[in-house]
Amino acid sequence: MKVLIVGANGQIGKHLTSFIKEHDDLEAKVMIRKEEQASYFKDLGAETAVVDLEEDVNAIAKAAEGMDAIVFTAGSGPNTGADKTMLVDLDGAVKTIEAAKEAGVKRFVMISSYDTTREAIQSASSSFAPYVAAKHYADEWLRATDLDYTIIHPGALTNDQGTGKVNAATRVERNEIPREDVAGVIVATLENDATIGKEFQVVTGTEPIKESIHSL
């Protein structure tokens, strides 16, 4: 399976690229924003495409040509304003979904936020609400397609070393999860067609990643 990782230069994307390098049945192509980011991924044996998410759909679709799956793990980051949140976390996600259609890529894995319900938007702080709203509408856009999608809702992200053990279900108690384990969850999701059409929350837990995803 050839996988385009959108937002590969983020920490989840880097872990995911490393995991895919060691996987017999997966092959990574990374979509990055700057040429100077390419050497890291070339050292991992990944093909690179330099495309800014603020470009048009056709540029993203060109990067997606020949792919079997797309993983969207891009984000504007905590230090940007609501304008970049809208352009990357919402519009960037929607353009990537439309690019998947244009390129004929059916499998789409979305890394969302822990809770993107309408209630979560209303209860979020004024600074966090634009991000939750962006993720809410990006998720809604994906659900309305005929793509073979999975939406992953990770808990609070940390840079701790992964444990390889999680708790994944439609609803789980709020907790943290290392970015490395989120990448492991993505791999397990791509391996398991039973995750198509599903979405789930995932946090650090006690069950091995593959078993937890298999039990969804």
Side-chain angles (χ1 to χ4, degrees):
M1 179 187 290
K2 296 180 179 180
V3 183
L4 177 67
I5 305 171
V6 177
N9 200 55
Q11 293 178 68
I12 292 174
K14 286 181 174 178
H15 284 302
L16 179 58
T17 307
S18 295
F19 286 160
I20 288 178
K21 180 187 178 184
E22 304 301 324
H23 199 290
D24 292 337
D25 298 321
L26 299 175
E27 179 182 335
K29 179 179 181 180
V30 300
M31 199 176 98
I32 51 179
R33 191 163 59 91
K34 300 177 181 178
E35 182 62 44
E36 53 263 38
Q37 298 167 344
S39 60
Y40 176 90
F41 297 100
K42 289 177 180 176
D43 288 344
L44 290 174
E47 183 183 355
T48 61
V50 180
V51 181
D52 193 316
L53 268 177
E54 294 184 39
E55 293 182 47
D56 62 20
V57 171
N58 291 338
I60 303 170
K62 185 175 180 181
E65 288 177 358
M67 296 292 104
D68 301 302
I70 294 175
V71 174
F72 187 90
T73 183
S76 58
N79 299 318
T80 58
D83 54 344
K84 286 294 183 183
T85 298
M86 188 272 285
L87 291 173
V88 175
D89 297 89
L90 175 53
D91 194 47
V94 169
K95 286 190 293 190
T96 304
I97 292 165
E98 293 305 300
K101 297 179 190 177
E102 188 173 313
V105 182
K106 287 289 288 182
R107 191 73 173 98
F108 198 106
V109 177
M110 174 76 83
I111 310 306
S112 186
S113 185
Y114 172 76
D115 188 350
T116 60
T117 59
R118 166 58 56 191
E119 292 76 17
I121 301 172
Q122 300 305 129
S123 62
S125 65
S126 59
S127 61
F128 194 56
Y131 172 77
V132 181
K135 290 295 190 182
H136 170 86
Y137 287 107
D139 291 351
E140 284 285 282
W141 195 277
L142 182 56
R143 292 186 196 106
T145 71
D146 62 355
L147 297 177
D148 293 337
Y149 72 83
T150 306
I151 302 174
I152 300 173
H153 298 275
L157 299 171
T158 74
N159 292 326
D160 297 339
Q161 183 175 352
T163 66
K165 294 185 177 181
V166 299
N167 180 17
T170 303
R171 300 287 295 179
V172 299
E173 187 175 348
R174 189 182 291 270
N175 199 353
E176 297 179 341
I177 183 170
R179 288 175 171 85
E180 184 177 3
D181 281 340
V182 175
V185 168
I186 296 168
V187 171
T189 298
L190 290 168
E191 291 174 330
N192 190 344
D193 285 349
T195 60
I196 291 173
K198 294 182 179 177
E199 57 184 295
F200 57 89
Q201 294 178 335
V202 61
V203 296
T204 292
T206 58
E207 195 171 18
I209 287 173
K210 281 191 178 183
E211 292 180 17
S212 189
I213 300 307
H214 183 73
S215 66
L216 289 169

